[in-house]
Amino acid sequence: MDKHPIRAISRRRAAGLIVAGAAAPFVIRPASAQLVLPEQTTVPDILKGSGEVRVAEWGGTTQEAEQKAYFEPFEKATGIKVRVFPASTAKIKPMVETGNVEWDVIHTGRTTIAKLMKAGDYFERIDYSLIDDGVPKEHRLEYGVEMQIWAQVMAYSTDAFKGAAPVSWADFWDTEKFPGDRAMFGIGDVPPEMEFALMAAGVPADKIYPIDVDKALASYDKIKKSVVKWWQTGAQPTQMLTDREVVMTTVWNARMMALQEQGVPAAICWNQGMLNSDAWGILKGAKNKANAMKFVAYATMPIPQARFALSTPYGVTNVGANNYIPPLRLAMLPSAPENKKQMLVHNMDWWIDNGDMAQAKFNKWLLG
């Protein structure tokens, strides 16, 4: 018997014991069409159990995808019921401190986990003996495991520049070669896209951190007049492209697939994009800690992750999931090897340590 049951599952996939339909071609279909997802037909006994696990989620299309990829098949395969609650990072601290922990698992991010763990003891350590080997070291946090990848990228109108296409942030900044209004992100308590400003100024991706904030602001000076909107919600940049209010914008990659399915002439430039990841965190004192660990292990296995990426355009953290995602679909994801290697990994640790300073300088610059 394999000492690592999750690993054994991965080995047996070639024998057809786990997946059905993994090679089916991906075709953009109407929303009503039924997408055939690969099936996780068995799980190791160590992941089976009884009782429940309470998962805090954010709703919307991501939760709908997780319902199909994780929640329903996990219940069926393990016998553990999944109960889903509305998520709120503001509730984590008081829940743990009062001992009234209403959730077991929350969909969150490295920044939230790191900030709370600096302030106290709010998350359980992850039991990595249960986690599939396909999840690489960079996604294995001590108090969380990253499970999906998304990207901040450039999007542009494909019919705006007489057949030319921007391929870098230097092009985004070049308002003579690529004339027209732009939109960018960064107002409020979210990190501005200083990395893009530095790459536009010629700083290589591997020299971006630590961020030279003053140099980034000097670079922003050159584009400021052409940025007609500093967007705050994910729907805004795609709507501006649709309405032709802008010819270029920064955008979250997942928003672009729906736009392209609608026939809007717009495309993503993956080059010099910025990779971000979301994570599962298990709350300290979770009443169903053992089941929570089993759920997190299941939701980071290759096939459940592939099911998620086939249901919504977010990338995977388990590299084995790529084997179950058809090539045309994989090419649309930030975790595709060809896309991933073109992008910078967002250094959330730098922003945790320096974000207040950088944000204050940016806000002052924006008002100046």
Side-chain angles (χ1 to χ4, degrees):
M1 182 177 176
D2 198 300
K3 293 181 180 179
H4 196 306
I6 305 291
R7 206 174 299 159
I9 287 287
S10 295
R11 289 199 192 107
R12 292 201 296 272
R13 64 188 173 211
L17 298 177
I18 295 174
V19 65
F26 173 76
V27 179
I28 294 178
R29 301 180 175 90
S32 59
Q34 189 68 32
L35 180 65
V36 177
L37 301 177
E39 296 290 340
Q40 181 76 49
T41 59
T42 186
V43 296
D45 289 342
I46 198 170
L47 296 189
K48 296 178 181 178
S50 60
E52 66 180 21
V53 61
R54 302 166 302 171
V55 181
E57 253 302 339
W58 299 93
T61 56
T62 298
Q63 184 170 318
E64 291 171 7
E66 290 183 335
Q67 186 71 26
K68 291 185 287 186
Y70 307 140
F71 305 156
E72 291 175 2
F74 176 77
E75 282 190 357
K76 183 177 179 181
T78 67
I80 299 168
K81 181 173 178 57
V82 177
R83 295 177 61 201
V84 184
F85 295 77
S88 167
T89 53
K91 290 185 177 181
I92 297 172
K93 200 168 183 285
M95 276 188 188
V96 173
E97 289 176 353
T98 61
N100 184 27
V101 182
E102 298 173 9
W103 318 319
D104 303 308
V105 181
I106 184 171
H107 176 169
T108 185
R110 181 190 295 252
T111 300
T112 297
I113 292 171
K115 282 184 174 180
L116 283 170
M117 290 307 296
K118 280 190 174 185
D121 191 13
Y122 295 98
F123 291 94
E124 299 282 356
R125 281 188 173 88
I126 299 297
D127 180 0
Y128 279 102
S129 70
L130 296 177
I131 302 299
D132 187 84
D133 285 351
V135 179
K137 181 179 179 181
E138 61 263 29
H139 296 302
R140 294 172 175 247
L141 316 179
E142 185 175 5
Y143 295 98
V145 56
E146 292 179 326
M147 81 309 197
Q148 75 182 47
I149 293 175
W150 54 278
Q152 285 170 260
V153 292
M154 180 201 309
Y156 61 94
S157 295
T158 54
D159 59 358
F161 310 117
K162 299 179 181 180
V167 296
S168 67
W169 294 110
D171 287 343
F172 190 96
W173 256 246
D174 190 341
T175 56
E176 292 186 8
K177 184 178 179 181
F178 298 97
D181 291 334
R182 274 85 159 141
M184 296 192 76
F185 181 61
I187 285 183
D189 59 354
V190 295
E193 297 161 324
M194 290 187 174
E195 292 88 345
F196 299 159
L198 289 173
M199 284 188 276
V203 179
D206 62 352
K207 303 295 183 183
I208 294 294
Y209 300 104
I211 287 176
D212 184 334
V213 174
D214 292 334
K215 186 170 185 175
L217 295 178
S219 179
Y220 272 130
D221 281 336
K222 299 175 183 178
I223 195 74
K224 187 175 185 179
K225 290 181 180 179
S226 294
V227 179
V228 296
K229 179 72 174 180
W230 295 89
W231 57 272
Q232 294 177 280
T233 67
Q236 288 176 314
T238 51
Q239 190 62 54
M240 286 185 286
L241 284 172
T242 301
D243 295 342
R244 298 183 179 272
E245 292 180 35
V246 298
V247 295
M248 275 193 265
T249 181
T250 57
V251 69
W252 297 330
N253 78 281
R255 295 281 180 166
M256 286 297 292
M257 184 177 290
L259 198 68
Q260 291 165 326
E261 287 177 351
Q262 295 164 15
V264 176
I268 283 175
C269 172
W270 293 106
N271 186 45
Q272 297 186 333
M274 190 157 55
L275 287 167
N276 296 267
S277 301
D278 287 1
W280 297 119
I282 299 175
L283 274 66
K284 190 72 175 182
K287 294 180 174 61
N288 302 289
K289 177 182 171 181
N291 285 348
M293 290 289 182
K294 292 175 182 180
F295 171 79
V296 166
Y298 178 89
T300 48
M301 291 174 71
I303 290 173
Q305 288 229 312
R307 288 174 64 90
F308 179 75
L310 286 166
S311 301
T312 192
Y314 287 106
V316 300
T317 55
N318 190 316
V319 295
N322 291 339
N323 296 325
Y324 302 96
I325 302 172
L328 288 177
R329 176 67 175 204
L330 185 61
M332 301 176 185
L333 304 177
S335 55
E338 286 301 311
N339 295 335
K340 196 174 180 180
K341 72 182 183 182
Q342 299 180 60
M343 291 188 277
L344 167 77
V345 177
H346 189 218
N347 188 331
M348 287 176 271
D349 293 332
W350 186 91
W351 281 100
I352 289 168
D353 293 338
N354 302 280
D356 290 345
M357 172 273 295
Q359 189 77 54
K361 284 192 171 186
F362 176 81
N363 292 344
K364 182 179 180 181
W365 168 85
L366 198 58
L367 294 172

